[in-house]
Amino acid sequence: MAKVPSSVVAAGGLVGGYGVARWTKKRQLGGVVLAVAGAAAAQQWRERAGGRAAGALSAAYVAGFAGSHPLAKKVGAWPAVFGVAGAVALASWAVADRRA
């Protein structure tokens, strides 16, 4: 069975984490979604591109999450989340998924 690309897992974690937090009104539940998807993506990054790349992509994932907050004040919440999710997905594809 083919694996879901890590770029999709990472973007899904960012979008899904925000969506779950917003719709359930439980930020912690959104954080769980964000963390589980981030851990799954990191495992794929490590397998496909090595530890250094996985560390860099994990940092990008966390920076995307953190960066979406101030960006949301300028462009709105959903555009900010989709923007950072797209950026993380592109980085993930370029570093890990393209090789697979």
Side-chain angles (χ1 to χ4, degrees):
M1 179 187 276
K3 282 189 176 182
V4 176
S6 62
S7 55
V8 173
V9 174
L14 290 163
V15 172
Y18 174 68
V20 167
R22 181 175 177 132
W23 289 317
T24 65
K25 308 265 191 266
K26 296 185 187 312
R27 294 179 73 176
Q28 298 85 351
L29 191 56
V32 169
V33 172
L34 181 79
V36 168
Q43 181 177 358
Q44 287 183 320
W45 294 330
R46 195 174 313 107
E47 290 170 1
R48 294 179 183 170
R52 182 171 280 165
L57 288 168
S58 295
Y61 185 81
V62 172
F65 166 70
S68 69
H69 291 82
L71 183 60
K73 293 179 182 178
K74 296 180 187 233
V75 300
W78 280 112
V81 171
F82 285 131
V84 299
V88 170
L90 181 61
S92 178
W93 175 82
V95 173
D97 292 340
R98 185 173 52 155
R99 298 177 182 187

